[in-house]
């Protein structure tokens, strides 16, 4: 979805991928950012927090009237229906990221 949003052009692809992974781990309650992830990504959890919040905001307030191809594609079971995932409450996400 970030490919369709001009605001994410300035983010490095590696930081964007790491932030997406951290958001996915948080949304699915699969743990946090481990030392192994920090080592191999080169990003500490604290560096990713602002981008993780922006990504969750994008999921929460996505426009439903245009650019439906990506959402439709990733709503299919082949892609584990990830486009249907419910975004996190912003306050809850903030609490989890702080801990």
């Amino acid at each position: 979805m970030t490919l369709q949003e001009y605001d994410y052009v300035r983010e490095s692809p590696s930081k964007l991928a790491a932030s997406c992974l951290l958001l996915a781990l948080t949304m699915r309650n699969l743990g946090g950012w481990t030392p192994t992830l920090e080592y191999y990504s080169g990003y500490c959890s604290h560096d990713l927090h602002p981008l993780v919040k922006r990504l969750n905001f994008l999921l929460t307030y996505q426009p439903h009237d245009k650019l439906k191809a990506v959402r439709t594609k990733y709503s299919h079971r082949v892609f584990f229906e990830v486009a249907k995932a419910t975004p996190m409450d912003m306050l809850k996400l903030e609490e989890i990221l702080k801990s």
Side-chain angles (χ1 to χ4, degrees):
M1 292 183 60
T2 59
L3 293 174
Q4 302 170 8
E5 299 292 331
Y6 188 72
D7 294 340
Y8 293 91
V9 171
R10 68 178 181 261
E11 301 295 344
S12 72
S14 63
K15 187 173 185 179
L16 190 57
S19 298
C20 288
L21 178 58
L22 178 55
L23 179 58
L25 289 170
T26 306
M27 288 173 72
R28 299 290 185 188
N29 295 320
L30 296 173
W33 202 245
T34 64
T36 303
L37 289 171
E38 183 175 335
Y39 176 80
Y40 285 107
S41 71
Y43 297 105
C44 69
S45 175
H46 184 68
D47 296 337
L48 302 175
H49 290 181
L51 187 52
V52 168
K53 292 176 199 174
R54 285 179 49 217
L55 289 167
N56 192 61
F57 185 83
L58 176 66
L59 290 174
T60 304
Y61 298 105
Q62 57 186 317
H64 293 284
D65 57 336
K66 60 180 183 173
L67 303 173
K68 294 182 179 183
V70 172
R71 196 174 310 106
T72 301
K73 177 180 178 178
Y74 289 99
S75 292
H76 195 273
R77 64 184 173 147
V78 172
F79 297 104
F80 303 103
E81 299 176 337
V82 296
K84 295 179 181 178
T86 306
M88 292 194 68
D89 177 65
M90 294 300 280
L91 294 175
K92 183 177 180 182
L93 177 63
E94 182 76 33
E95 289 175 16
I96 292 171
L97 292 176
K98 283 184 180 180
S99 61

